[in-house]
Amino acid sequence: MNIAKNMEIIFLAAVTMTMATGFATAETSPRRLEAPQVVKVGSDTPMTVITVVGKRLTAAEKAQLGN
C-alpha cells in the first residue's frame, strides 16, 4: 500500500475520529449563569491629589547636569 497516495484519507479519518471523540466527551448539561456579586472597593475618604509645580530645564541646563 502506497501511503503517499492515501495521506488525504488517513488525515480525514484522523480528523473525523478526533471530532467524534470530542463530541462524545462534550458536556451536555447547560451551565447556569449567576448574577455577579457587587463588591465595594476602596474607602470613603477622597483621593489624594499631588500637584508638582516647577520649570522645565533648558538644553544647556540638561547638558550641564549630564557632565
Side-chain angles (χ1 to χ4, degrees):
M1 181 168 131
N2 191 356
I3 294 179
K5 289 183 179 179
N6 297 319
M7 282 303 286
E8 183 179 2
I9 294 172
I10 294 170
F11 174 75
L12 290 176
V15 170
T16 304
M17 290 174 57
T18 304
M19 289 179 61
T21 305
F23 284 124
T25 60
E27 185 177 327
T28 57
S29 61
R31 296 181 180 174
R32 289 182 31 196
L33 297 177
E34 298 178 9
Q37 296 179 356
V38 178
V39 178
K40 184 177 180 183
V41 178
S43 63
D44 294 333
T45 60
M47 183 186 310
T48 304
V49 177
I50 300 173
T51 305
V52 178
V53 179
K55 66 173 193 158
R56 289 181 165 252
L57 296 175
T58 63
E61 290 171 335
K62 288 180 186 177
Q64 187 180 16
L65 290 175
N67 291 335

